[in-house]
Amino acid sequence: MLLFFILGLLVHFVFFASIFDIYFTSPLVHGMTPQFTSLPPPARRLVLFVADGLRADSLYELDENGDSRAPFIRNIIMHEGSWGISHTRVPTESRPGHVALIAGFYEDVSAVAKGWKENPVEFDSLLNESKYTWGWGSPDILSMFAKDVSGDHVFIHTYDADDEDFGAHDVTKLDTWVFDNVKEFFRAARNNQSLFSKLNEEKIVFFLHLLGIDTNGHAHRPSSREYKDNIKIVDAGIKEIVSMFKHFYGNDGKTAFVFTADHGMTDWGVHGAGHPSETLTPFVTWGAGIKYPQNVSTQQFEDAFLKEWKLENWKRQDINQADIAPLMASLIGVPFPLNSVGILPLDYLNNTDLFKAESIFTNAIQILEQFKVKMTQKKEVTLSFLFTPFKLLSESKQHNILRKARSYIKQRKYDEAISLCKELIHLALKGLSYYHTYDRFFLGITVVLGFVGWTSYASLLILKFHSNLPRGGSKEVKKPSRLLQYSFVAIGVLVAFFLLIQAYPWTYYIYCLLPVPIWYAVLREFQVIQDLVASLLSCPPSHFVGYLLVSTLGIEVLVLSFFYRYMLTAGLIAFAGWPFITQLWTRAKRTSLNWIFFSLLLAVFPLMPVVGRKPDISLVMTAGLLVLLLSLFVVASLTKRKDSFVNEELPLHLLQMLSMVLSMYVVYSTDNSLLKKQGLPLINQIISWIILASSFVLPLLSPPILFERLFSILLSLMSTYILLSRGYEALFPLVLSCLMFAWIHMEQETLQQSGVSCKQKVNSIQFIYNTDLTQLRQLCLDDIRRAFFLVFFLVTAFFGTGNIASVNSFDVTSVYCFLTVFSPFIMGALMMWKILIPFVLVMCAFEAVQLTTQLSSKGLFLMVLVISDIMALHFFFLVRDYGSWLDIGTSISHYVIVMSMTMVLVFLNGLAQLLTTKKLTLCGKPKSHLI
């Protein structure tokens, strides 16, 4: 069975990874030739300001006094340049945002996951195409564009990574450092002839990355005074830099300026998903080659931003983020980045119609080159009789459009030429998408076959080894026929040969060959399938339809809870009625009352606002005090019941209570320190890490008696959870654990009601590692309900704490007791452990349920995996890469969460067994408990 779980883990990992090959592979192709216009560009140099994490509304809106937070930028909009909203894409993170801005393409999700500080894929960019580039700002961003560039022409100046401290007294220094160093650089250039001559070349870029706004947003929220004041500082700094450039270059009118952001930020200070506050960023450009402001009487937009921002009379021109790269390239006359899919926004250009026509013509050829390379690559690895070309853009149509466009330019019919070029661009982009997703249906079918096969095989194993399914025919285990073996071997060989001759990547072999052994294993259990069919046929149709409807309803409630958290509330209210349906109310009123009370109390949490949006340290303190009061009650109870408790177990309980007190102190002290902008105290940081480390060890020192061990686990994990909490979510594990204790008692009462004898009370049962197999019973229909309860509680453990199915729901401020300096992997690991703590509590309770109900952990766990896999298959069909970016990001998150939950279940099951059954002895003679 251990081998089965290892294989299951590998299979689920393949299913998890498949989504990236099916939906999110790298769009890059190589082998194109650089494309640029031969006409002289309007600008000799370009200055790019990127305000990391700046929302469009935060820049454009007026404050409560009717004044702009960025008066210089607003003056540009009204008197010097053009403006609009830049629409970003998922994931709204710094790396993909800057890649879209500077390279002109949208990086795939899997590439982003490979790192912040290096390029997982090679790509061309505006900086690479420039003659010289100088950059100032964050080492995480600038190093990404300086690495592996062709030639030694990109020069970066960065501050130390440790300066990116969310708890620092003043993080605006990240921006003032940039402005001060740029000014010092130009002062030094006057005394450096070599540098001075480089600065007077054409086709040069200056890149100023401003991280202060993003850091203040994470630390204090976008609605904070710190965030808004940082915008004022950036605005004043840009004004000084622009003035300096004009003075340095003698007002030659050959400098183009671009101001934008890589992504926005939610109201609760995070980003990564597709909420409009994350995808709508400002875009303002002025200087050489840029149109002056255009006064208009009316503008048609679906939103009401223009009226809110008092900018109704200045023409707003929205663009996609990737369109900024070709715009910047055309302004200084460098080739368009080779992998750019941006469309040149001609309405921003202040130039001749000939220049616009030639530029968009070049843009069309550059994107068409990518289409041709992509088509050639796909054609070379596909059998000729299976290859289906993109019919909307045949080779003859390409030549026809290019010939007509060139002819129109010669005839000075520029509008017609531009229209044709735009048509060609849109067709080429559609063609790129077509070939990029060419194998999607094929891969989707193979993954679904594997999914269905695996779920079927797990179900058959449950029926074969853990149920009382009536056996028909001979009881002897028949060996599978050689015909079946040879048939599947032949199928595997044919599939491998088919993939080989088409030169598919190695991952395709895994996706396509995996269903073969899985379905072979399914058909080997033909006798079980026969017995199942016979059993179903003997079952009354009304009973079968009823079971099917109830099962479907249960699965759909779980699926809908990913979209609507209040479905969990509805489910918990339904759970509260369980004692009345099963007559447990009359048998065990006290236990039933506990179950009803805590079910209804837990039902409140999914109705609460998303965690992190309204931090409240007083609620965290309340949770800590409640845990301490509960601990005192338990200690008093155990002192009365056990004579040896005071000498043997009381010190451990007191130590865990001290850990809770220290956690409360650290949270309160750290919050005060950060509010005063004094940073994270070192002693608090040390205590936090000690508490985290000890939380894995202290439960193992407690006796393996069911109630005492579970309470010890709760105390240790709650100490850590308090450190990671910022509001009401600190109360959640406590209420969840109380419901879990009630569940354990309810399940034992249910078992006794069904006539199964229970020799021990819950308070005296001990967790044991090696269970006596003779005491285990076979699964029954009621065990499906137990498995469903577990999955429901696991989903509640995730969404009940206020998380939503999106990466932007994880609040980085929750880790401030451990560190404040930006470290994505450590912060991510801490936030992940915060999410997993309620899962661990549920899984430990599940271990107790299995023990009290005399169930095989393997059989019940298999049922849980089957339910999870059915949910995962449901979400697999719901994944999409079209529609709004909010929908796309949410669909990805749903599948990733449910697949991660399925895989993590195996790990959590092992962790729960370790925490509940292992007993450590520090010194002296080992105690006589079963271990």
Side-chain angles (χ1 to χ4, degrees):
M1 189 56 77
L2 177 62
L3 178 62
F4 173 80
F5 281 119
I6 293 173
L7 289 174
L9 197 60
L10 292 174
V11 167
H12 284 88
F13 180 78
V14 171
F15 294 155
F16 177 81
S18 67
I19 190 178
F20 297 105
D21 263 329
I22 296 173
Y23 290 96
F24 306 105
T25 51
S26 174
L28 299 186
V29 290
H30 301 284
M32 295 80 67
T33 53
Q35 302 292 328
F36 59 94
T37 62
S38 57
L39 298 175
R44 291 176 60 86
R45 67 200 71 90
L46 176 109
V47 184
L48 172 62
F49 302 97
V50 178
D52 205 303
L54 176 60
R55 293 163 47 143
D57 57 349
S58 297
L59 178 77
Y60 293 138
E61 69 186 4
L62 303 177
D63 62 19
E64 55 276 6
N65 298 320
D67 299 324
S68 173
R69 297 188 190 98
F72 176 74
I73 294 296
R74 195 172 183 90
N75 182 69
I76 293 292
I77 292 171
M78 294 180 171
H79 300 102
E80 291 188 43
S82 297
W83 75 286
I85 292 177
S86 169
H87 296 264
T88 70
R89 289 193 182 182
V90 176
T92 47
E93 298 288 351
S94 291
R95 178 193 167 86
H98 281 88
V99 168
L101 281 171
I102 299 173
F105 73 92
Y106 300 105
E107 196 170 34
D108 66 290
V109 177
S110 59
V112 179
K114 294 177 183 176
W116 274 258
K117 300 183 181 180
E118 60 179 54
N119 293 337
V121 289
E122 293 182 8
F123 59 85
D124 189 26
S125 72
L126 174 79
L127 308 189
N128 188 46
E129 295 291 354
S130 67
K131 190 161 189 179
Y132 295 109
T133 290
W134 289 270
W136 295 265
S138 167
D140 296 341
I141 298 301
L142 293 177
S143 60
M144 180 171 71
F145 292 99
K147 185 179 179 182
D148 298 329
V149 294
S150 56
D152 186 20
H153 65 279
V154 177
F155 310 98
I156 62 172
H157 308 268
T158 65
Y159 39 74
D160 191 81
D162 290 339
D163 291 337
E164 299 175 20
D165 187 348
F166 296 115
H169 173 69
D170 183 15
V171 297
T172 59
K173 66 182 180 183
L174 299 175
D175 296 337
T176 54
W177 183 96
V178 171
F179 295 134
D180 292 342
N181 275 265
V182 172
K183 288 182 278 190
E184 179 58 34
F185 173 81
F186 275 89
R187 278 195 293 269
R190 295 187 179 278
N191 301 317
N192 186 328
Q193 187 58 44
S194 173
L195 178 59
F196 188 83
S197 62
K198 288 179 180 178
L199 290 174
N200 281 280
E201 295 276 3
E202 59 182 16
K203 305 184 192 313
I204 60 174
V205 176
F206 301 94
F207 174 29
L208 282 69
H209 176 247
L210 308 166
L211 187 61
I213 293 175
D214 182 76
T215 308
N216 262 319
H218 285 306
H220 306 288
R221 309 288 189 271
S223 59
S224 66
R225 178 180 56 81
E226 289 84 357
Y227 185 89
K228 294 172 181 177
D229 287 348
N230 205 151
I231 295 174
K232 295 178 182 178
I233 290 171
V234 165
D235 180 72
I238 291 174
K239 181 180 180 180
E240 292 178 8
I241 296 298
V242 170
S243 175
M244 183 205 67
F245 265 91
K246 289 180 178 179
H247 177 71
F248 187 87
Y249 289 105
N251 287 309
D252 64 353
K254 291 293 183 180
T255 307
F257 298 93
V258 171
F259 174 72
T260 187
D262 54 347
H263 55 75
M265 187 172 288
T266 61
D267 292 339
W268 53 100
V270 293
H271 52 83
H275 192 274
S277 61
E278 300 166 89
T279 60
L280 303 182
T281 59
F283 180 73
V284 182
T285 181
W286 67 100
I290 297 297
K291 273 187 180 178
Y292 289 101
Q294 302 172 64
N295 290 321
V296 292
S297 56
T298 58
Q299 299 187 69
Q300 298 298 321
F301 286 96
E302 293 181 359
D303 55 63
F305 292 144
L306 288 170
K307 190 174 181 180
E308 293 174 13
W309 300 337
K310 309 296 183 187
L311 290 170
E312 307 100 302
N313 299 324
W314 285 269
K315 187 175 181 180
R316 166 182 155 190
Q317 302 174 74
D318 288 6
I319 60 173
N320 291 319
Q321 193 173 48
D323 299 342
I324 298 173
L327 173 64
M328 295 190 295
S330 69
L331 288 173
I332 57 175
V334 300
F336 292 104
L338 293 174
N339 301 113
S340 171
V341 293
I343 304 173
L344 180 63
L346 297 176
D347 289 340
Y348 274 92
L349 293 178
N350 180 22
N351 215 313
T352 63
D353 290 339
L354 172 62
F355 182 86
K356 292 179 181 179
E358 286 287 357
S359 296
I360 197 70
F361 184 81
T362 304
N363 192 189
I365 293 177
Q366 173 257 324
I367 294 177
L368 184 63
E369 282 277 311
Q370 295 181 72
F371 168 79
K372 289 179 178 178
V373 171
K374 195 80 172 177
M375 182 183 69
T376 302
Q377 287 179 353
K378 185 52 62 181
K379 195 172 184 178
E380 287 176 350
V381 298
T382 307
L383 295 174
S384 57
F385 65 91
L386 292 176
F387 181 72
T388 307
F390 182 63
K391 296 177 181 178
L392 295 178
L393 191 57
S394 61
E395 196 168 338
S396 59
K397 188 166 186 176
Q398 297 172 33
H399 292 308
N400 189 38
I401 293 177
L402 289 174
R403 181 181 54 79
K404 280 186 178 180
R406 177 50 66 192
S407 175
Y408 282 141
I409 292 173
K410 288 181 179 178
Q411 297 171 31
R412 298 185 179 180
K413 296 180 179 179
Y414 301 122
D415 290 340
E416 289 87 344
I418 289 170
S419 179
L420 269 179
C421 290
K422 286 183 177 179
E423 180 189 351
L424 180 59
I425 287 173
H426 288 296
L427 287 173
L429 289 174
K430 280 186 178 180
L432 270 173
S433 177
Y434 172 80
Y435 287 118
H436 185 60
T437 60
Y438 191 84
D439 297 321
R440 179 171 296 177
F441 181 76
F442 166 64
L443 286 177
I445 289 293
T446 60
V447 171
V448 169
L449 280 173
F451 243 126
V452 174
W454 174 260
T455 307
S456 302
Y457 182 58
S459 302
L460 291 174
L461 287 184
I462 294 170
L463 294 171
K464 183 177 181 179
F465 296 110
H466 304 285
S467 75
N468 290 314
L469 182 71
R471 305 291 195 266
S474 174
K475 293 184 179 180
E476 294 180 6
V477 179
K478 295 181 179 179
K479 292 183 178 180
S481 66
R482 291 191 177 275
L483 177 61
L484 184 66
Q485 293 177 354
Y486 292 152
S487 298
F488 275 90
V489 169
I491 291 171
V493 170
L494 286 173
V495 170
F497 181 72
F498 174 78
L499 297 172
L500 182 65
I501 59 177
Q502 298 201 93
Y504 278 123
W506 64 271
T507 52
Y508 282 42
Y509 287 81
I510 298 175
Y511 305 140
C512 296
L513 290 174
L514 184 61
V516 176
I518 289 177
W519 279 102
Y520 171 68
V522 170
L523 294 181
R524 280 185 62 183
E525 306 299 337
F526 182 71
Q527 185 60 52
V528 181
I529 298 172
Q530 277 188 320
D531 296 338
L532 175 62
V533 172
S535 180
L536 291 175
L537 290 175
S538 65
C539 178
S542 58
H543 287 191
F544 174 73
V545 172
Y547 292 143
L548 188 62
L549 286 176
V550 170
S551 301
T552 304
L553 178 63
I555 295 292
E556 288 305 311
V557 167
L558 291 172
V559 170
L560 286 172
S561 67
F562 279 69
F563 298 93
Y564 313 104
R565 289 168 57 216
Y566 60 78
M567 292 301 296
L568 295 172
T569 299
L572 288 166
I573 292 173
F575 282 7
W578 176 38
F580 301 104
I581 298 171
T582 58
Q583 304 301 317
L584 281 171
W585 173 254
T586 57
R587 179 184 176 90
K589 285 191 176 182
R590 185 177 176 182
T591 303
S592 297
L593 280 173
N594 286 335
W595 169 264
I596 294 167
F597 175 75
F598 288 114
S599 292
L600 295 176
L601 188 58
L602 194 67
V604 174
F605 284 89
L607 300 177
M608 301 290 280
V610 172
V611 67
R613 295 188 182 183
K614 294 181 180 179
D616 190 343
I617 298 302
S618 63
L619 289 175
V620 182
M621 296 296 103
T622 301
L625 286 173
L626 287 174
V627 173
L628 288 174
L629 289 174
L630 183 61
S631 301
L632 290 173
F633 174 78
V634 170
V635 167
S637 175
L638 290 173
T639 303
K640 291 179 181 179
R641 202 171 70 231
K642 292 179 66 177
D643 296 333
S644 61
F645 177 77
V646 175
N647 295 327
E648 295 181 0
E649 297 157 28
L650 182 60
L652 176 62
H653 279 271
L654 293 177
L655 181 61
Q656 290 182 306
M657 291 171 68
L658 175 62
S659 177
M660 177 59 66
V661 171
L662 287 174
S663 293
M664 295 169 63
Y665 164 76
V666 168
V667 170
Y668 185 78
S669 171
T670 301
D671 186 63
N672 278 342
S673 180
L674 292 177
L675 285 175
K676 295 174 183 176
K677 297 187 178 180
Q678 295 174 351
L680 170 62
L682 179 60
I683 185 65
N684 289 12
Q685 190 174 19
I686 293 171
I687 292 173
S688 298
W689 284 105
I690 290 173
I691 291 173
L692 174 63
S694 65
S695 67
F696 295 98
V697 179
L698 292 181
L700 305 182
L701 299 173
S702 65
I705 299 172
L706 189 147
F707 176 78
E708 292 182 43
R709 177 57 66 93
L710 289 180
F711 189 74
S712 180
I713 292 170
L714 170 64
L715 274 183
S716 289
L717 294 183
M718 273 300 295
S719 297
T720 302
Y721 202 85
I722 290 290
L723 291 171
L724 293 166
S725 297
R726 298 286 296 165
Y728 74 87
E729 80 270 20
L731 295 162
F732 179 80
L734 179 60
V735 178
L736 178 66
S737 296
C738 291
L739 182 60
M740 291 300 98
F741 283 120
W743 183 31
I744 295 166
H745 284 87
M746 287 287 287
E747 291 295 358
Q748 192 178 45
E749 294 291 344
T750 303
L751 203 65
Q752 289 176 348
Q753 188 181 44
S754 64
V756 179
S757 62
C758 297
K759 298 179 181 179
Q760 292 178 292
K761 293 183 178 180
V762 171
N763 292 339
S764 61
I765 295 175
Q766 297 195 50
F767 284 110
I768 51 177
Y769 188 74
N770 295 311
T771 308
D772 185 359
L773 296 178
T774 60
Q775 294 182 356
L776 298 180
R777 60 179 179 82
Q778 295 287 56
L779 297 175
C780 60
L781 281 176
D782 201 35
D783 293 320
I784 299 176
R785 191 259 312 153
R786 291 185 177 95
F788 175 78
F789 270 27
L790 174 63
V791 177
F792 188 92
F793 287 137
L794 288 171
V795 174
T796 305
F798 181 79
F799 292 106
T801 54
N803 295 307
I804 55 176
S806 168
V807 293
N808 73 9
S809 66
F810 306 131
D811 184 13
V812 71
T813 60
S814 62
V815 304
Y816 283 177
C817 289
F818 293 89
L819 76 166
T820 54
V821 175
F822 180 64
S823 179
F825 297 109
I826 296 177
M827 287 179 165
L830 288 169
M831 287 189 284
M832 188 57 65
W833 181 237
K834 179 185 178 182
I835 293 167
L836 289 179
I837 284 175
F839 280 67
V840 174
L841 293 172
V842 173
M843 289 303 296
C844 289
F846 184 56
E847 284 290 313
V849 167
Q850 291 177 103
L851 194 61
T852 57
T853 56
Q854 301 170 18
L855 267 176
S856 164
S857 61
K858 296 167 185 174
L860 201 53
F861 190 69
L862 276 174
M863 283 202 293
V864 171
L865 285 181
V866 168
I867 295 172
S868 301
D869 284 342
I870 294 171
M871 289 174 59
L873 186 60
H874 201 126
F875 285 118
F876 180 82
F877 287 112
L878 293 176
V879 173
R880 55 197 293 191
D881 62 349
Y882 59 89
S884 75
W885 289 107
L886 181 60
D887 293 339
I888 293 169
T890 302
S891 72
I892 299 167
S893 298
H894 285 164
Y895 182 73
V896 169
I897 288 169
V898 76
M899 280 304 299
S900 299
M901 188 176 75
T902 305
M903 291 190 296
V904 168
L905 272 179
V906 179
F907 160 74
L908 290 179
N909 189 49
L911 180 60
Q913 282 193 1
L914 175 69
L915 288 174
T916 54
T917 61
K918 188 68 176 174
K919 178 71 170 73
L920 292 181
T921 51
L922 294 180
C923 59
K925 188 177 179 180
K927 298 174 180 61
S928 58
H929 300 297
L930 289 170
I931 56 173

